[in-house]
Amino acid sequence: MTYLRRYIVSKALWYALAFVVAMGLNFLLPRLIPGNPVDALIAQYLRSGGQGEAASRVYQAFLQEFGLDEPMGQQFVTYVGNVLRGNLGTSFSFYPARVTDLIAQALPWTVALQLPAILIGWILGNLLGALAAYKGGKFDRTLFVGALAVSSIPYYAMAILLLYFLAVVVPVFPVAGGYSFGLSPNLSVGFIVDLIQHYTLPFLSLVLIAIGGQAVGMRSMAIYELGADYVNYASGMGVKENTILRYVFRNAMLPQVTGLALSLGTMVGGALITELVFSYPGIGYLLFNAISLNDYPLIQGVTLFIATAVLLANFLVDLAYGFIDPRIRAVQMGER
């Protein structure tokens, strides 16, 4: 087996093991929540006018339907078999909706919110950080203090601040939701404008924090590179400033690229609190509803989906590092 193939196989085995552990935790953790989800369904049935004897039969039917009358070990075997076949089960609380369908409905909202926020925050933050390091003086100090202050605010706190000032005190934007109540998704101008109005505050709460964090990181790396020996040597040799700056900022960008790759990997589950604050109909909001309703299959499905996305992203980043830098590959293979 070649050196590179051994590296890929080694990484794949580690991530496969992590996936197995994630599957086990996904099965176990929802069952540690107190209460039986079928009890909640029966209580809802009784509130809607159901009779006691009929409720008992419905209770038994639900237990069999969801496999909750089986021993825990048999439930786990059934769960693993279904996952390997791509079947994440049927939601308790949104019965008879399938978990995969619910995730497919929520995923575009999260991606549409997170992906532009991560990319725009990364680009603007790095540009501002590089500019501050290059110009120095008052511009650098002002931008650094501002970026540090913004990046120090938790993103959920930023969400609450924006919600209070721009939706409550000055009601420029809607308070919550993905679109106004009573509308249905379509491609009309009115619906798109309404969609953008609901989108703005969650987007701002994510992108402002991202810009601040990226600017601070890029400024620090650029200042370090600007003081490096090779810069002084190149300046002494009369190399043009533009050429030196190109190398400086290219070197400073390497850690930032790593950060971008990891941010994209955690994109699916990264906006959970923001989605809760704004009741935005993404994956995070779906997970919150699943936990509050004790919906085992939906909790398992969403968390397994998030875990798989994170593991896959990290695996790809590890492989990219191995290809880009043989020293990293050698260290991780235990040969240095």
Side-chain angles (χ1 to χ4, degrees):
M1 189 179 289
T2 64
Y3 185 76
L4 187 59
R5 187 174 298 176
R6 278 195 297 121
Y7 173 77
I8 295 173
V9 171
S10 168
K11 283 294 169 188
L13 289 176
W14 275 111
Y15 280 99
L17 179 62
F19 179 74
V20 171
V21 173
M23 282 183 62
L25 291 175
N26 277 331
F27 174 80
L28 182 62
L29 292 179
R31 285 163 175 78
L32 297 179
I33 301 174
N36 185 337
V38 177
D39 289 344
L41 291 176
I42 295 302
Q44 186 178 1
Y45 172 76
L46 291 173
R47 283 196 298 271
S48 63
Q51 301 299 315
E53 187 176 345
S56 177
R57 290 197 296 271
V58 172
Y59 183 86
Q60 293 300 324
F62 272 132
L63 285 181
Q64 293 176 2
E65 168 75 16
F66 298 121
L68 297 177
D69 57 339
E70 297 174 345
M72 189 71 82
Q74 183 59 43
Q75 289 184 41
F76 181 70
V77 171
T78 304
Y79 160 72
V80 172
N82 288 336
V83 168
L84 293 179
R85 288 194 296 272
N87 178 13
L88 298 180
T90 304
S91 168
F92 291 169
S93 49
F94 299 99
Y95 187 83
R98 296 174 62 79
V99 171
T100 48
D101 294 336
L102 294 172
I103 293 175
Q105 290 171 13
L107 184 61
W109 292 92
T110 293
V111 173
L113 178 64
Q114 280 273 69
L115 187 59
I118 290 172
L119 293 178
I120 293 174
W122 187 83
I123 293 170
L124 292 181
N126 281 298
L127 286 175
L128 289 174
L131 192 62
Y134 175 66
K135 284 189 170 296
K138 189 175 180 180
F139 178 81
D140 176 35
R141 290 193 294 275
T142 304
L143 191 141
F144 176 67
V145 171
L148 193 62
V150 171
S151 65
S152 301
I153 302 174
Y155 66 91
Y156 56 84
M158 176 65 80
I160 294 171
L161 288 174
L162 290 173
L163 183 67
Y164 178 71
F165 286 109
L166 295 179
V168 178
V169 177
V170 182
V172 179
F173 297 104
V175 175
Y179 50 85
S180 296
F181 182 76
L183 295 180
S184 58
N186 59 74
L187 293 178
S188 67
V189 175
F191 180 78
I192 292 173
V193 171
D194 185 78
L195 199 69
I196 293 173
Q197 288 176 334
H198 284 79
Y199 177 84
T200 303
L201 288 185
F203 173 76
L204 284 178
S205 70
L206 294 173
V207 79
L208 289 176
I209 300 296
I211 289 174
Q214 294 293 339
V216 171
M218 183 62 184
R219 173 188 173 275
S220 301
M221 289 303 303
I223 288 176
Y224 173 80
E225 291 292 334
L226 285 168
D229 291 340
Y230 74 89
V231 175
N232 296 327
Y233 181 76
S235 298
M237 294 295 291
V239 178
K240 291 181 180 178
E241 186 181 17
N242 288 341
T243 304
I244 297 174
L245 288 177
R246 191 165 64 246
Y247 282 104
V248 164
F249 291 121
R250 191 181 67 178
N251 292 339
M253 283 297 295
L254 288 175
Q256 302 299 98
V257 172
T258 305
L260 175 64
L262 294 177
S263 296
L264 291 174
T266 57
M267 174 175 62
V268 172
L272 193 148
I273 304 296
T274 300
E275 290 180 3
L276 289 185
V277 171
F278 293 102
S279 299
Y280 201 75
I283 292 289
Y285 190 62
L286 182 65
L287 179 60
F288 173 76
N289 284 332
I291 294 172
S292 61
L293 296 170
N294 219 358
D295 191 336
Y296 293 170
L298 193 52
I299 296 172
Q300 291 171 179
V302 172
T303 52
L304 185 63
F305 182 77
I306 293 173
T308 304
V310 172
L311 289 173
L312 184 61
N314 286 335
F315 176 62
L316 294 175
V317 169
D318 266 351
L319 288 187
Y321 277 176
F323 281 107
I324 294 170
D325 193 342
R327 294 172 300 176
I328 295 176
R329 192 168 64 227
V331 169
Q332 294 189 357
M333 291 297 292
E335 297 180 5
R336 286 188 59 189

